Amino acid sequence: MIFFKFGGGLHYSLLSPLGEKVLPLWVIGVLMGAASIAQLLLDVPAGRILDKYGYRKFLKVTTFIFLFAAICFLFGFTKQTYLISLLISVFGWLFFGPGVNAYILSHAPKESAGRFISLRDVSGSIGIVLSSSVLPFVLLFTPEFMGALIFIILAIAFIMLFLSPKDNVSVHTEIKLPTHYHYIKRSPLISTIKAIKKLNPASTMLLLLDLSGSIFYGIIWFVVPLVIAHQANSGLLGVGLAVFDLSIVVLGFMLGNLADKSDKRTMVFFGILLFSVSGMLLGFNFGWLFIIFGFLATTGDEMAGISLWSWLHSLDKQHDQDGMISGVINLFQDLGWAIGPIVAGILYSLIGPSWTILIGALPIFIVWLFYQLVLRHHHIHVKHLLQIPAKPHRMRHKS
């Protein structure tokens, strides 16, 4: 997990600063968005292939494919090698998320599966912290050096897979965790829409927050690497990119306890407001204030997300479609990651990085207004949070 996220995260971070050398930024944004959409569309067949042929086997396949995305840069950096590397990376990421989840859950004891998933999140965040931290230094070198470095990191991840235990059970028969069940069983569209409507208004609010939040993070990961490439003495921004996940690793338990003891309407109100306002402000200073506002933005995101998830869970009396809901949440997140780079690619050249980030945070503010005008009068009554399964983890980086 650590080495794959290290290498894959570094490759994704380099797509916008390298791409602008050979293509207009708006084209790069469209290409990165299209890559996310392709990954989204291929998600279902990828899940079926994993279930049929084995998780570890296709984790090897996906990592091996990713090696060729790095190799492309070794043959001279051109428009053609850039496009080929981007295309290959789609398949490099394709089996990774569902493959890791299914592999971990097929090995984890049922009573401690939640801890294994938490360890997965921490490991992935460590990999992103490493890639973000070295990004300002890597940008000083040639694309050939970048390709060689990514290749070495991913090669280590590939070797590690051979040291991992073989698949021993099928997720079909062993895994019952509802928040991850969407990787195993796909549901018809009509029943999915019915399930969403049944859990309104909490389900609508959670989907809107995840969509707007993912658009924001997609814009951040397009814009900030460009700022690092263009500005001298921008090493601090590498830490700034890492802070979005690092804050959850640091504050996750505390925020859960806070949500358990506080009024949920207040948590949603201040959480979304803090997320939107901090998101708007962080682009106007790319020094220490960027790190502070980034930390506050993610804190607000998690405050609101925990409360909305607990509200949704309390509305679901039968809990027979938890996996379906979780799958739709992930679908909206993926959609946001497709929209974000497209918007950023168009706006960056027109209005600059600061205003692009501000506009990226506006959908979050609109969600806050929607909550205020339409939903705040609803009473949020939930059980003790310890009785509620952990909400689907929102990746604040490429996954």
Side-chain angles (χ1 to χ4, degrees):
M1 277 289 295
I2 291 173
F3 282 101
F4 187 97
K5 283 281 189 174
F6 188 179
L10 186 57
H11 180 273
Y12 187 80
S13 301
L14 290 168
L15 287 177
S16 53
L18 282 181
E20 71 166 344
K21 298 177 183 295
V22 292
L23 290 166
L25 277 178
W26 71 268
V27 175
I28 298 165
V30 170
L31 289 172
M32 291 175 66
S36 294
I37 292 173
Q39 188 180 335
L40 188 156
L41 295 175
L42 293 171
D43 181 48
V44 173
R48 289 173 178 166
I49 290 172
L50 282 162
D51 284 340
K52 186 173 182 180
Y53 296 106
Y55 312 127
R56 192 180 76 147
K57 179 185 294 184
F58 270 85
L59 284 174
K60 291 178 183 176
V61 169
T62 202
T63 309
F64 184 72
I65 289 173
F66 220 142
L67 290 172
F68 287 93
I71 289 173
C72 287
F73 294 157
L74 301 179
F75 293 98
F77 186 72
T78 64
K79 184 188 299 184
Q80 288 73 28
T81 54
Y82 174 81
L83 292 173
I84 293 171
S85 181
L86 176 59
L87 177 63
I88 292 174
S89 70
V90 172
F91 296 93
W93 286 107
L94 183 59
F95 296 102
F96 173 72
V100 165
N101 289 338
Y103 177 82
I104 289 174
L105 292 175
S106 67
H107 283 273
K110 294 179 183 179
E111 64 276 6
S112 57
R115 290 201 298 271
F116 277 75
I117 292 300
S118 296
L119 183 59
R120 174 208 65 180
D121 295 339
V122 172
S123 300
S125 294
I126 291 172
I128 293 298
V129 168
L130 291 172
S131 66
S132 302
S133 300
V134 304
L135 179 62
F137 307 101
V138 172
L139 283 167
L140 300 175
F141 295 92
T142 64
E144 289 79 8
F145 175 86
M146 299 173 188
L149 179 61
I150 294 170
F151 179 86
I152 292 170
I153 296 169
L154 290 173
I156 295 173
F158 185 63
I159 293 170
M160 291 293 180
L161 285 169
F162 286 89
L163 306 177
S164 303
K166 295 181 179 179
D167 297 332
N168 56 5
V169 294
S170 167
V171 227
H172 286 290
T173 57
E174 293 295 325
I175 306 307
K176 303 298 181 186
L177 283 185
T179 54
H180 301 280
Y181 189 58
H182 62 279
Y183 286 115
I184 303 144
K185 182 179 179 180
R186 310 291 168 163
S187 304
L189 179 61
I190 295 177
S191 57
T192 301
I193 294 173
K194 287 181 179 178
I196 295 294
K197 286 184 176 180
K198 185 176 70 174
L199 301 179
N200 269 329
S203 56
T204 297
M205 275 302 303
L206 194 57
L207 292 177
L208 290 175
L209 178 62
D210 276 26
L211 175 63
S212 60
S214 297
I215 291 172
F216 172 73
Y217 292 121
I219 289 174
I220 289 291
W221 281 90
F222 186 95
V223 168
V224 175
L226 284 171
V227 175
I228 294 174
H230 292 165
Q231 292 187 2
N233 303 318
S234 57
L236 201 60
L237 275 181
V239 180
L241 276 175
V243 78
F244 295 106
D245 258 75
L246 197 59
S247 61
I248 299 308
V249 175
V250 174
L251 293 176
F253 181 74
M254 188 186 78
L255 289 174
N257 285 338
L258 180 64
D260 211 13
K261 298 173 183 177
S262 305
D263 178 72
K264 302 303 180 293
R265 283 182 294 184
T266 303
M267 288 282 287
V268 174
F269 174 88
F270 284 109
I272 302 178
L273 183 62
L274 180 63
F275 188 16
S276 61
V277 173
S278 298
M280 291 178 191
L281 294 175
L282 69 84
F284 289 94
N285 189 302
F286 291 108
W288 281 106
L289 283 178
F290 184 93
I291 297 176
I292 293 171
F293 283 125
F295 188 88
L296 291 174
T298 314
T299 301
D301 180 15
E302 195 71 4
M303 282 173 58
I306 289 173
S307 300
L308 287 171
W309 175 252
S310 62
W311 183 17
L312 180 144
H313 193 81
S314 69
L315 294 175
D316 189 358
K317 304 302 182 184
Q318 296 178 326
H319 302 291
D320 58 341
Q321 295 177 313
D322 288 348
M324 186 192 304
I325 299 297
S326 188
V328 177
I329 289 172
N330 279 270
L331 177 66
F332 272 67
Q333 291 176 9
D334 291 342
L335 186 59
W337 274 94
I339 295 171
I342 296 174
V343 172
I346 295 170
L347 294 180
Y348 187 94
S349 299
L350 297 175
I351 59 177
S354 298
W355 288 100
T356 299
I357 292 174
L358 184 148
I359 290 176
L362 279 180
I364 305 168
F365 187 72
I366 293 171
V367 171
W368 179 77
L369 288 176
F370 176 78
Y371 173 73
Q372 287 300 104
L373 297 174
V374 180
L375 299 178
R376 201 180 178 210
H377 65 279
H378 284 271
H379 177 60
I380 305 178
H381 174 72
V382 297
K383 308 177 209 175
H384 197 277
L385 277 178
L386 293 177
Q387 301 173 340
I388 297 171
K391 74 181 183 72
H393 181 64
R394 163 111 61 80
M395 291 297 181
R396 290 155 177 100
H397 51 258
K398 176 65 177 174
S399 60

